[in-house]
Amino acid sequence: MTDDAGCGEAPWSFAVRDLAGRVMGPAGASVVLRTRDRSAGRRYEYRAAGGTLTIAATDAVAACVGLHHYLREQCGLAVHWDTTLPLPVRSLPDTPVRSGRPAVADGYYLNFCTFSYTMPYWDWADWEREIDWMALHGITMPLAVTGHEAAVHAVYSRLGLDDREIRRFLGGPGYLPFGFMGCVDGFAGPLPASWLSSHRELGRRILQRQRALGMTPVLPAFTGHVPRQLAPERVRSRLWQGFETYVIDPLDPLYRRIVAEFVHAQSEIFGTDHLYAADPFIEMAPVDTDPGYPAAVAAATIDGLRAADPQATWVLQAWPFSYQREFWTADRVAAFLDAAPDDGMMIADLWAEHDPQWKRLGRFAGKRWLWCALLNFGGRTDPIADLHAVPPAVDEALSGENPPAGIGLAMEGTRNNPVFFALIADHLWGRVGDLDEWLRGFVAQRYGCVPGIELLRAWRNLVQTVYNAADVRIFPEQFNGVLTAKPSYARIPHHLAELRAEVEGALWYPPATLTDAWRRMIASAEQDGSLVHGPFGRDLIDVAVAAMSRAADILYLDAVERSVRHRHADRPSVERFLRLFDDLDRLLSTRAEFTFQHWESQALAWSTCADDHAVLADNARRMLTVWGSAESPLLDDYAGRIWGGMVGGYYKSRWRLWADGLDAAISRPGSQDERLTAALRTHSELFIRDGCDPSPEPVGDLLAESRRLFQTYGDLVGTGFSRTNGRQERVQGRVSP
């Protein structure tokens, strides 16, 4: 780093210096920022001497990445979602010049669904922390949905609808992003008037900070979805998961007008960075069978955007091409994409780590595109990923013609599987060659210590088990385990082989390796009790959830098989199965972020009156259970969470209803199906109305609860399933009678 490296402080220095203070505490005052020109591309350089850290960078995000790399490489400290801040930086170690350049131009972040499954009730403190995380990890293109309802309200007000009609159309706060995508309207609302004003200001504040840190946020755009009363004779209906919505024809002049009105309203309220996200067919086939219809939608969309903003770029998710592959043939995709100019569209290949569309669709025929990792659906908390596949998948995408313009994290819910998303983020500014070497650094920096052999072995075991999900389709419609599964008698008593195959399918790794990881994690915490207060505590719960999920499967299968063999419900084995829910609930309740009460309290903090309270409580409870309605639960448990209050309350009581009818279900197959369906529907309705009881106080000690669960269930999980006497049977583990 030379003295003539820059031209003094950059206009972004104030924002980056403030971030340094939030992340490093008093040590942040010793960070000096310099600017570099971008003629040679984006980059950063840092050096530290005499207690001062100097960072020279081309832009604010590059400076933040440089700061984070210094903290990781020289101080052994990383900032993750759950890291306690400020970091314990006592001094700034001297280091010669180190530099870095990004592997791609942009880092994309978030998914419309994330704003329902993780962020619907966040306040500014939550968002400030999240934006800092984005900057430190190299995010330049965050999707920005918060407050968009204010733009929707402004547009339809101008088009003649009144306040009440618009808020009814927008629906409940927890479901707003699904309305923005055109999946629902008027559901679980109406939108409280107070929400409109509060989130207009919150959205402005979020965008102001993101822009101050050099990001170019992506704002939502019009998808064709309108309130029916806007033009009742000119709309057509469509269905998504049982929800009916209405779209206007792309050849109707009103379509282009609304596209432009959205851009104008957003620009007035939030400003613009000329990036607009719209997905007219996110999980719905076109309403018109005319082969030219999708292209007409694309043309009307880009024309409307550029009529209002000549610099507009349409950001399109490739999800429909995967989700409805049968419809979206290569020819149909090409016709759709060709209707927009190459410089007017960017495509986010949303699930590229599992179902890359860039391979099937010829790297999107010249369009700019983003390689994105999705992994999480519904904000589920199951520990699962395929870490081994990430480096080669990214390397393959970056090679050859038309490589991705950026790499993105497009999870439906954050705050899960942090090791996977940290690995993806690290590809924004470098290449991960040796996964084990990367893992050593991840563990050391995440916990802020030199990891001992027990801790490293524990993580290596996790990478060989739950984080080695090669060829495992990670999707909620697949079986995830009985903990969050809706109880049923469907295979009882005559199809136990099918039931066993489904349950065993969730165990694709040697179970003893997982329990060894669990044991070593607990032992590491017992050697250093301070670990449990930071990210390690979260990881300790995650490994317990992984093990206890399989324990629940084993105990469930054991209870069913014993009961069928005895021709009546085997009460001791059924009670052992149900007791597990209480045991796991006690562990989960030791950390607030693993509790339903935390989620609901965040929602209710936005209420200003009884009506607000009712809508917010309904949304918070409904989303995690039936999603839609108890009468039509097509998305039942899609967003299921293994959380305190849910496990020992909502899920356990469902299985208790199942257990109550097990005798009759065995002796008279089919006799209990309708009764159970009705009981579960009533159960869901009561939960949505009343919520769950708060966890008992005190909630207990995380480490003590971890040890107790391991002693009770460790052997059970470790032995897993085996074959004896010509039939499959669970090997008995040590479970308290």
Side-chain angles (χ1 to χ4, degrees):
M1 182 181 297
T2 60
D3 292 337
D4 60 352
C7 305
E9 286 206 329
W12 42 258
S13 295
F14 181 80
V16 175
R17 189 177 296 108
D18 274 1
L19 179 149
R22 291 188 294 274
V23 169
M24 302 168 62
S30 298
V31 176
V32 174
L33 300 167
R34 295 286 182 264
T35 185
R36 275 194 173 279
D37 69 79
R38 299 183 67 152
S39 59
R42 297 180 64 221
R43 62 201 188 280
Y44 72 78
E45 292 179 352
Y46 72 69
R47 72 175 176 190
T52 297
L53 170 63
T54 302
I55 301 173
T58 53
D59 56 275
V61 171
C64 292
V65 171
L67 172 64
H68 197 212
H69 282 195
Y70 172 80
L71 292 170
R72 293 171 62 182
E73 295 160 4
Q74 310 304 324
C75 305
L77 298 168
V79 177
H80 294 283
W81 288 317
D82 43 14
T83 301
T84 301
L85 294 181
L87 295 171
V89 179
R90 305 290 178 246
S91 62
L92 299 176
D94 288 357
T95 183
V97 175
R98 300 287 180 92
S99 63
R101 293 177 179 270
V104 289
D106 284 299
Y108 183 70
Y109 191 48
L110 299 175
N111 180 314
F112 276 88
C113 299
T114 328
F115 291 83
S116 272
Y117 293 136
T118 297
M119 304 165 166
Y121 312 118
W122 280 10
D123 59 16
W124 171 243
D126 296 315
W127 271 109
E128 182 173 55
R129 169 71 186 251
E130 183 74 0
I131 296 167
D132 287 350
W133 182 95
M134 294 181 199
L136 292 167
H137 287 82
I139 301 301
T140 59
M141 288 177 56
L143 181 64
V145 174
T146 303
H148 179 61
E149 55 273 21
V152 176
H153 191 279
V155 169
Y156 291 126
S157 295
R158 294 170 186 175
L159 293 174
L161 299 187
D162 65 34
D163 170 71
R164 182 170 296 184
E165 288 176 309
I166 299 169
R167 288 193 292 110
R168 187 180 300 117
F169 167 73
L170 285 165
Y175 293 83
L176 285 168
F178 292 94
F180 302 156
M181 289 187 288
C183 301
V184 301
D185 65 48
F187 182 68
L191 186 70
S194 62
W195 183 277
L196 269 174
S197 57
S198 64
H199 283 72
R200 181 192 299 112
E201 296 312 309
L202 179 59
R204 283 173 172 160
R205 197 171 184 183
I206 290 167
L207 288 164
Q208 181 182 33
R209 177 62 59 80
Q210 289 174 342
R211 289 166 179 153
L213 286 169
M215 301 176 193
T216 53
V218 183
L219 300 180
F222 181 62
T223 65
H225 168 225
V226 296
R228 185 182 186 183
Q229 63 269 39
L230 184 68
E233 306 302 323
R234 296 151 63 187
V235 297
R236 300 172 72 171
S237 70
R238 61 182 180 181
L239 291 176
W240 176 82
Q241 302 293 343
F243 293 94
E244 186 175 25
T245 57
Y246 301 89
V247 292
I248 194 160
D249 192 278
L251 299 181
D252 189 318
L254 185 59
Y255 190 106
R256 285 173 169 79
R257 179 185 173 188
I258 298 175
V259 174
E261 289 285 2
F262 266 74
V263 175
H264 290 314
Q266 283 179 328
S267 297
E268 292 165 9
I269 300 170
F270 300 120
T272 184
D273 295 274
H274 315 295
L275 300 175
Y276 304 95
D279 299 288
F281 312 114
I282 187 65
E283 287 184 354
M284 295 157 281
V287 297
D288 196 314
T289 57
D290 184 333
Y293 181 83
V297 170
T301 301
I302 192 65
D303 287 352
L305 289 172
R306 290 204 156 173
D309 179 359
Q311 301 178 61
T313 294
W314 176 9
V315 179
L316 174 80
Q317 296 180 134
W319 178 250
F321 310 150
S322 171
Y323 188 79
Q324 294 178 314
R325 182 186 295 257
E326 298 78 10
F327 176 86
W328 289 104
T329 62
D331 289 344
R332 280 180 171 153
V333 172
F336 176 52
L337 299 184
D338 286 347
D342 287 351
D343 68 348
M345 179 179 279
M346 181 178 289
I347 300 165
D349 196 356
L350 218 62
W351 203 14
E353 87 277 15
H354 180 83
D355 188 22
Q357 295 303 296
W358 67 266
K359 291 185 180 182
R360 182 170 79 93
L361 302 172
R363 293 178 180 260
F364 303 108
K367 294 286 193 296
R368 289 176 294 164
W369 64 286
L370 306 163
W371 188 99
C372 299
L374 177 51
L375 181 71
N376 181 269
F377 293 87
R380 298 184 63 91
T381 52
D382 310 68
I384 184 172
D386 182 7
L387 297 186
H388 299 271
V390 169
V394 175
D395 286 349
E396 183 183 11
L398 291 174
S399 65
E401 297 181 0
N402 194 31
I407 293 173
L409 289 73
M411 64 288 267
E412 285 193 353
T414 67
R415 307 302 190 270
N416 63 82
N417 298 295
V419 63
F420 176 82
F421 294 112
L423 179 60
I424 299 294
D426 273 359
H427 281 84
L428 288 169
W429 279 74
R431 180 180 179 275
V432 177
D434 185 310
L435 183 60
D436 188 68
E437 180 182 350
W438 178 89
L439 183 69
R440 290 177 65 94
F442 170 82
V443 173
Q445 295 158 16
R446 181 163 171 78
Y447 304 144
C449 65
V450 177
I453 189 63
E454 287 285 293
L455 198 49
L456 279 175
R457 183 63 180 271
W459 267 100
R460 285 170 176 153
N461 285 346
L462 291 175
V463 171
Q464 294 306 318
T465 53
V466 292
Y467 293 128
N468 187 28
D471 302 319
V472 177
R473 188 169 186 266
I474 303 167
F475 205 62
E477 280 88 351
Q478 305 295 106
F479 176 72
N480 291 288
V482 301
L483 272 177
T484 59
K486 191 173 185 178
S488 168
Y489 303 120
R491 296 189 178 98
I492 299 173
H494 300 306
H495 302 283
L496 294 190
E498 295 176 11
L499 180 63
R500 173 174 277 275
E502 183 175 54
V503 171
E504 288 189 332
L507 190 63
W508 69 83
Y509 48 82
T513 306
L514 175 62
T515 55
D516 186 66
W518 192 12
R519 177 183 64 81
R520 292 175 187 274
M521 291 283 278
I522 294 170
S524 297
E526 289 175 337
Q527 292 174 7
D528 182 359
S530 64
L531 280 174
V532 298
H533 301 298
F536 184 92
R538 184 206 166 83
D539 298 340
L540 190 56
I541 287 184
D542 272 348
V543 69
V545 166
M548 293 293 285
S549 295
R550 304 291 74 84
D553 294 348
I554 293 168
L555 291 177
Y556 162 73
L557 194 60
D558 181 64
V560 169
E561 291 180 336
R562 286 175 180 269
S563 297
V564 171
R565 192 159 58 244
H566 298 159
R567 299 183 181 177
H568 62 79
D570 183 76
R571 293 300 166 190
S573 59
V574 169
E575 291 304 317
R576 280 198 296 270
F577 167 58
L578 293 175
R579 189 181 308 132
L580 177 145
F581 288 78
D582 290 329
D583 287 342
L584 178 55
D585 202 87
R586 285 178 57 183
L587 174 72
L588 295 165
S589 297
T590 61
R591 284 185 67 119
E593 69 268 34
F594 281 92
T595 63
F596 172 78
Q597 287 80 9
H598 178 67
W599 166 266
E600 185 174 77
S601 66
Q602 281 191 313
L604 297 180
W606 289 102
S607 66
T608 60
C609 63
D611 288 345
D612 291 4
H613 187 284
V615 170
L616 289 160
D618 171 276
N619 285 201
R621 298 164 186 170
R622 187 180 299 275
M623 175 65 71
L624 304 190
T625 54
V626 299
W627 204 104
S629 69
E631 294 77 19
S632 181
L634 295 176
L635 291 169
D636 210 354
D637 300 315
Y638 181 88
R641 309 292 168 90
I642 301 176
W643 280 353
M646 295 293 292
V647 171
Y650 185 78
Y651 299 133
K652 180 189 175 184
S653 53
R654 290 200 308 188
W655 281 108
R656 175 63 73 184
L657 292 170
W658 170 87
D660 291 344
L662 186 57
D663 269 330
I666 293 170
S667 61
R668 300 188 305 279
S671 67
Q672 295 299 297
D673 294 355
E674 290 186 8
R675 180 204 67 83
L676 180 59
T677 297
L680 291 174
R681 182 169 59 246
T682 300
H683 170 263
S684 297
E685 290 169 345
L686 290 174
F687 179 82
I688 292 169
R689 187 191 73 185
D690 301 329
C692 66
D693 295 331
S695 300
E697 297 290 345
V699 295
D701 175 75
L702 170 56
L703 185 52
E705 290 297 325
S706 297
R707 173 57 70 182
R708 182 181 66 85
L709 287 189
F710 182 81
Q711 290 175 338
T712 305
Y713 296 97
D715 287 351
L716 173 73
V717 179
T719 50
F721 300 93
S722 68
R723 294 180 180 271
T724 58
N725 300 323
R727 61 181 177 84
Q728 293 187 348
E729 186 175 77
R730 181 179 63 79
V731 177
Q732 294 295 314
R734 184 173 64 219
V735 180
S736 301

Coordinates of all heavy atoms in Angstrom, one line a residue, residues 120-121 145-154 162-177 180 185-200 606-609 611-616 618-619:
P120 N -40.3 -10.6 8.6 CA -41.5 -9.8 8.5 C -41.6 -8.9 9.7 O -42.2 -7.8 9.5 CB -42.6 -10.8 8.5 CG -42.1 -12.1 9.2 CD -40.6 -12.1 8.7
Y121 N -41.1 -9.2 10.9 CA -41.4 -8.4 12.1 C -40.1 -7.7 12.6 O -40.1 -7.3 13.7 CB -42.0 -9.3 13.1 CG -43.2 -10.1 12.6 CD1 -43.2 -11.5 12.6 CD2 -44.3 -9.4 12.0 CE1 -44.2 -12.2 12.0 CE2 -45.3 -10.2 11.5 CZ -45.3 -11.5 11.5 OH -46.3 -12.3 10.9
V145 N -37.4 -5.4 0.0 CA -38.9 -5.5 -0.1 C -39.6 -4.7 1.0 O -40.8 -4.3 0.9 CB -39.3 -7.0 0.0 CG1 -40.8 -7.2 0.0 CG2 -38.7 -7.7 -1.3
T146 N -38.9 -4.5 2.2 CA -39.6 -3.8 3.3 C -40.2 -2.5 2.9 O -39.5 -1.6 2.3 CB -38.6 -3.6 4.4 OG1 -38.0 -4.9 4.8 CG2 -39.2 -3.0 5.6
G147 N -41.4 -2.3 3.2 CA -42.1 -1.0 2.9 C -42.7 -0.9 1.5 O -43.4 0.1 1.2
H148 N -42.5 -1.9 0.7 CA -43.0 -1.9 -0.7 C -44.6 -1.7 -0.7 O -45.1 -1.1 -1.7 CB -42.7 -3.1 -1.5 CG -43.2 -3.2 -2.9 ND1 -42.8 -2.3 -3.8 CD2 -44.0 -4.1 -3.5 CE1 -43.4 -2.6 -5.0 NE2 -44.2 -3.6 -4.8
E149 N -45.2 -2.1 0.3 CA -46.7 -2.0 0.4 C -47.1 -0.5 0.3 O -48.2 -0.2 -0.2 CB -47.2 -2.6 1.7 CG -46.6 -2.1 3.0 CD -45.4 -2.9 3.4 OE1 -44.7 -3.5 2.5 OE2 -45.0 -2.9 4.5
A150 N -46.2 0.4 0.7 CA -46.5 1.9 0.6 C -46.5 2.3 -0.9 O -47.4 3.1 -1.3 CB -45.4 2.7 1.3
A151 N -45.7 1.7 -1.7 CA -45.7 2.0 -3.1 C -46.9 1.4 -3.8 O -47.6 2.0 -4.6 CB -44.4 1.4 -3.8
V152 N -47.3 0.2 -3.4 CA -48.5 -0.4 -3.9 C -49.7 0.4 -3.5 O -50.6 0.7 -4.4 CB -48.7 -1.9 -3.3 CG1 -50.0 -2.5 -3.8 CG2 -47.5 -2.8 -3.7
H153 N -49.8 0.9 -2.3 CA -50.9 1.7 -1.9 C -51.0 3.0 -2.7 O -52.0 3.5 -3.1 CB -50.7 2.0 -0.4 CG -51.9 2.6 0.3 ND1 -52.2 4.0 0.2 CD2 -52.9 2.1 1.0 CE1 -53.3 4.2 0.8 NE2 -53.8 3.1 1.3
A154 N -49.8 3.6 -2.9 CA -49.8 4.9 -3.7 C -50.3 4.6 -5.1 O -51.1 5.5 -5.7 CB -48.4 5.4 -3.7
D162 N -59.9 3.0 -2.9 CA -59.8 3.7 -1.6 C -58.9 3.0 -0.7 O -58.5 1.8 -0.9 CB -61.2 4.0 -1.0 CG -61.9 2.8 -0.6 OD1 -61.3 1.8 -0.2 OD2 -63.2 2.8 -0.7
D163 N -58.6 3.6 0.4 CA -57.6 3.1 1.4 C -58.0 1.7 1.9 O -57.2 0.8 2.0 CB -57.5 4.0 2.6 CG -56.7 3.4 3.8 OD1 -55.5 3.3 3.6 OD2 -57.4 3.1 4.8
R164 N -59.3 1.5 2.2 CA -59.8 0.3 2.8 C -59.6 -0.9 1.7 O -59.2 -2.0 2.1 CB -61.2 0.4 3.3 CG -61.8 -0.9 3.9 CD -63.1 -0.7 4.6 NE -63.0 0.3 5.7 CZ -64.0 0.6 6.5 NH1 -65.2 0.1 6.3 NH2 -63.8 1.4 7.5
E165 N -60.0 -0.6 0.5 CA -59.9 -1.6 -0.6 C -58.4 -2.0 -0.7 O -58.2 -3.2 -0.9 CB -60.4 -1.0 -1.9 CG -61.9 -0.8 -2.0 CD -62.3 -0.2 -3.3 OE1 -61.8 0.9 -3.6 OE2 -63.2 -0.7 -3.9
I166 N -57.5 -1.1 -0.7 CA -56.1 -1.4 -1.0 C -55.6 -2.2 0.2 O -54.9 -3.2 0.0 CB -55.3 -0.1 -1.2 CG1 -55.8 0.7 -2.4 CG2 -53.8 -0.4 -1.4 CD1 -55.3 2.1 -2.5
R167 N -55.9 -1.8 1.4 CA -55.3 -2.5 2.6 C -55.9 -3.9 2.6 O -55.3 -4.9 3.1 CB -55.6 -1.8 3.9 CG -54.7 -0.5 4.0 CD -54.6 0.0 5.4 NE -55.9 0.6 5.8 CZ -56.7 0.1 6.7 NH1 -56.4 -1.0 7.3 NH2 -57.9 0.8 7.0
R168 N -57.2 -4.1 2.2 CA -57.8 -5.4 2.1 C -57.1 -6.3 1.1 O -56.8 -7.5 1.3 CB -59.3 -5.3 1.8 CG -60.0 -6.7 1.9 CD -61.5 -6.5 1.6 NE -62.1 -5.6 2.6 CZ -62.7 -4.5 2.2 NH1 -62.7 -4.1 1.0 NH2 -63.3 -3.7 3.1
F169 N -56.8 -5.7 -0.1 CA -56.0 -6.4 -1.1 C -54.6 -6.8 -0.7 O -54.2 -7.9 -0.9 CB -55.9 -5.4 -2.4 CG -55.0 -5.9 -3.4 CD1 -55.3 -7.0 -4.2 CD2 -53.7 -5.3 -3.6 CE1 -54.4 -7.4 -5.2 CE2 -52.8 -5.7 -4.6 CZ -53.2 -6.7 -5.4
L170 N -54.0 -5.9 0.0 CA -52.6 -6.2 0.5 C -52.6 -7.4 1.5 O -51.6 -8.2 1.5 CB -52.0 -5.0 1.1 CG -51.5 -3.9 0.2 CD1 -51.3 -2.6 0.9 CD2 -50.3 -4.3 -0.6
G171 N -53.6 -7.5 2.4 CA -53.7 -8.6 3.3 C -52.8 -8.4 4.5 O -52.3 -7.3 4.8
G172 N -52.5 -9.6 5.2 CA -51.8 -9.5 6.4 C -50.3 -9.2 6.3 O -49.7 -9.6 5.2
P173 N -49.7 -8.5 7.2 CA -48.2 -8.2 7.2 C -47.3 -9.3 6.9 O -46.3 -9.2 6.2 CB -48.0 -7.5 8.5 CG -49.3 -7.1 9.0 CD -50.3 -8.1 8.5
G174 N -47.6 -10.5 7.5 CA -46.7 -11.6 7.4 C -46.7 -12.2 6.0 O -45.8 -13.0 5.6
Y175 N -47.7 -11.9 5.2 CA -47.9 -12.5 3.8 C -47.6 -11.5 2.7 O -47.8 -11.9 1.5 CB -49.3 -13.1 3.7 CG -49.5 -14.2 4.6 CD1 -49.9 -14.1 6.0 CD2 -49.4 -15.6 4.2 CE1 -50.1 -15.2 6.8 CE2 -49.6 -16.6 5.0 CZ -49.9 -16.4 6.3 OH -50.1 -17.5 7.1
L176 N -47.2 -10.3 3.0 CA -47.1 -9.3 2.0 C -46.2 -9.7 0.8 O -46.6 -9.5 -0.4 CB -46.5 -8.0 2.6 CG -47.5 -7.2 3.4 CD1 -46.7 -6.1 4.2 CD2 -48.5 -6.5 2.5
P177 N -45.0 -10.3 1.0 CA -44.2 -10.7 -0.1 C -44.9 -11.7 -1.1 O -44.6 -11.7 -2.3 CB -43.0 -11.4 0.5 CG -42.9 -10.7 1.9 CD -44.3 -10.6 2.3
F180 N -46.8 -9.5 -3.3 CA -45.9 -8.9 -4.2 C -45.5 -9.8 -5.4 O -45.3 -9.3 -6.5 CB -44.7 -8.4 -3.6 CG -44.9 -7.4 -2.4 CD1 -44.0 -7.3 -1.4 CD2 -46.1 -6.7 -2.3 CE1 -44.2 -6.4 -0.3 CE2 -46.3 -5.8 -1.3 CZ -45.4 -5.7 -0.3
D185 N -53.9 -12.6 -2.6 CA -54.3 -11.2 -2.3 C -55.4 -11.3 -1.4 O -56.2 -12.2 -1.3 CB -54.6 -10.4 -3.6 CG -55.8 -10.9 -4.4 OD1 -56.9 -11.2 -3.8 OD2 -55.7 -11.0 -5.6
G186 N -55.5 -10.3 -0.5 CA -56.5 -10.2 0.5 C -56.5 -11.3 1.5 O -57.6 -11.6 2.1
F187 N -55.4 -11.9 1.8 CA -55.3 -13.0 2.7 C -54.8 -12.6 4.1 O -53.8 -11.9 4.1 CB -54.5 -14.2 2.1 CG -54.5 -15.4 3.0 CD1 -55.6 -16.1 3.2 CD2 -53.3 -15.7 3.7 CE1 -55.6 -17.2 4.1 CE2 -53.3 -16.8 4.6 CZ -54.4 -17.6 4.8
A188 N -55.4 -13.1 5.1 CA -55.0 -12.9 6.5 C -54.8 -11.5 6.9 O -53.9 -11.1 7.7 CB -53.7 -13.7 6.7
G189 N -55.6 -10.6 6.4 CA -55.5 -9.2 6.7 C -56.8 -8.7 7.4 O -57.4 -9.4 8.1
P190 N -57.1 -7.4 7.2 CA -56.5 -6.5 6.3 C -55.2 -5.9 6.9 O -54.9 -6.1 8.1 CB -57.5 -5.4 6.2 CG -58.2 -5.4 7.5 CD -58.3 -6.8 7.9
L191 N -54.4 -5.3 6.1 CA -53.1 -4.6 6.5 C -53.4 -3.5 7.5 O -54.2 -2.6 7.1 CB -52.3 -4.1 5.3 CG -50.9 -3.6 5.7 CD1 -50.0 -4.7 6.1 CD2 -50.3 -2.8 4.5
P192 N -52.9 -3.5 8.7 CA -53.1 -2.4 9.6 C -52.6 -1.0 9.0 O -51.5 -1.0 8.4 CB -52.3 -2.7 10.8 CG -52.2 -4.2 10.8 CD -52.1 -4.6 9.3
A193 N -53.4 0.0 9.2 CA -53.0 1.3 8.7 C -51.6 1.8 9.3 O -50.8 2.4 8.6 CB -54.1 2.4 8.9
S194 N -51.4 1.4 10.6 CA -50.2 1.8 11.2 C -49.0 1.1 10.6 O -47.9 1.7 10.6 CB -50.3 1.4 12.7 OG -50.4 0.0 12.9
W195 N -49.2 -0.1 10.0 CA -48.1 -0.8 9.4 C -47.6 0.0 8.2 O -46.4 0.1 7.9 CB -48.5 -2.2 9.0 CG -47.5 -3.0 8.4 CD1 -47.0 -3.0 7.1 CD2 -46.7 -4.0 9.1 NE1 -46.0 -4.0 6.9 CE2 -45.8 -4.6 8.1 CE3 -46.6 -4.5 10.4 CZ2 -44.9 -5.6 8.5 CZ3 -45.7 -5.4 10.7 CH2 -44.8 -6.0 9.8
L196 N -48.5 0.5 7.4 CA -48.1 1.3 6.2 C -47.2 2.4 6.5 O -46.1 2.5 5.9 CB -49.4 1.8 5.5 CG -50.1 1.0 4.5 CD1 -51.4 1.7 4.0 CD2 -49.2 0.8 3.3
S197 N -47.5 3.2 7.5 CA -46.6 4.4 7.8 C -45.3 3.9 8.5 O -44.3 4.4 8.1 CB -47.4 5.3 8.7 OG -47.8 4.7 9.9
S198 N -45.4 3.0 9.4 CA -44.2 2.6 10.1 C -43.2 1.9 9.1 O -42.0 2.1 9.2 CB -44.5 1.6 11.3 OG -45.1 0.4 10.8
H199 N -43.7 1.1 8.2 CA -42.8 0.4 7.4 C -42.4 1.2 6.1 O -41.3 0.8 5.5 CB -43.4 -1.0 7.0 CG -43.2 -2.0 8.1 ND1 -44.0 -1.9 9.3 CD2 -42.4 -3.0 8.3 CE1 -43.6 -2.8 10.1 NE2 -42.6 -3.5 9.6
R200 N -43.1 2.2 5.8 CA -42.6 3.1 4.8 C -41.3 3.8 5.3 O -40.3 3.8 4.6 CB -43.6 4.2 4.5 CG -43.2 5.2 3.4 CD -44.1 6.4 3.4 NE -45.4 6.1 3.0 CZ -46.5 6.2 3.8 NH1 -46.3 6.6 5.1 NH2 -47.7 5.9 3.5
W606 N -45.3 -4.6 16.8 CA -45.8 -3.7 15.9 C -47.2 -3.3 16.0 O -47.7 -2.4 15.3 CB -45.6 -4.2 14.4 CG -44.1 -4.3 14.1 CD1 -43.3 -5.4 14.0 CD2 -43.3 -3.2 13.6 NE1 -42.1 -5.1 13.6 CE2 -42.0 -3.8 13.4 CE3 -43.5 -1.9 13.4 CZ2 -40.9 -3.0 12.9 CZ3 -42.4 -1.1 13.0 CH2 -41.2 -1.6 12.8
S607 N -47.9 -3.9 17.0 CA -49.4 -3.6 17.1 C -49.6 -2.2 17.8 O -48.8 -1.9 18.7 CB -50.1 -4.7 17.8 OG -49.7 -4.8 19.2
T608 N -50.6 -1.5 17.4 CA -50.9 -0.2 18.0 C -52.3 -0.2 18.6 O -52.7 0.8 19.3 CB -50.8 0.9 17.0 OG1 -51.7 0.7 15.9 CG2 -49.4 1.0 16.5
C609 N -53.1 -1.3 18.3 CA -54.4 -1.4 18.9 C -54.9 -2.8 18.8 O -54.1 -3.7 18.3 CB -55.4 -0.5 18.0 SG -55.5 -1.1 16.3
D611 N -57.1 -4.3 17.0 CA -57.2 -4.9 15.7 C -55.9 -5.3 15.1 O -55.7 -6.3 14.5 CB -57.9 -3.9 14.8 CG -59.4 -3.7 15.1 OD1 -60.0 -4.6 15.8 OD2 -60.0 -2.8 14.6
D612 N -54.9 -4.4 15.3 CA -53.5 -4.8 14.8 C -53.0 -6.0 15.5 O -52.5 -6.9 14.9 CB -52.5 -3.6 15.2 CG -52.8 -2.4 14.4 OD1 -53.8 -2.3 13.7 OD2 -52.0 -1.4 14.6
H613 N -53.2 -6.1 16.8 CA -52.8 -7.2 17.6 C -53.4 -8.5 17.1 O -52.7 -9.5 16.9 CB -53.2 -7.0 19.1 CG -52.7 -8.1 20.0 ND1 -53.2 -9.4 20.1 CD2 -51.7 -8.0 20.9 CE1 -52.5 -10.0 21.0 NE2 -51.6 -9.3 21.5
A614 N -54.7 -8.5 16.7 CA -55.3 -9.7 16.2 C -54.7 -10.2 14.9 O -54.5 -11.4 14.7 CB -56.8 -9.5 16.1
V615 N -54.5 -9.2 14.0 CA -54.0 -9.6 12.7 C -52.5 -10.1 12.8 O -52.2 -11.1 12.2 CB -54.0 -8.4 11.7 CG1 -53.2 -8.7 10.4 CG2 -55.5 -8.1 11.4
L616 N -51.7 -9.4 13.6 CA -50.3 -9.8 13.8 C -50.2 -11.2 14.4 O -49.3 -12.0 14.1 CB -49.6 -8.7 14.5 CG -49.4 -7.4 13.7 CD1 -49.1 -6.3 14.6 CD2 -48.2 -7.6 12.7
D618 N -52.4 -13.6 14.5 CA -52.9 -14.5 13.5 C -51.8 -14.9 12.5 O -51.5 -16.1 12.2 CB -54.1 -14.0 12.8 CG -54.6 -14.8 11.6 OD1 -54.0 -14.7 10.5 OD2 -55.5 -15.7 11.8
N619 N -51.2 -13.9 11.9 CA -50.2 -14.1 10.9 C -49.0 -14.9 11.4 O -48.5 -15.8 10.8 CB -49.7 -12.8 10.3 CG -50.6 -12.1 9.3 OD1 -50.3 -11.3 8.5 ND2 -51.9 -12.5 9.4

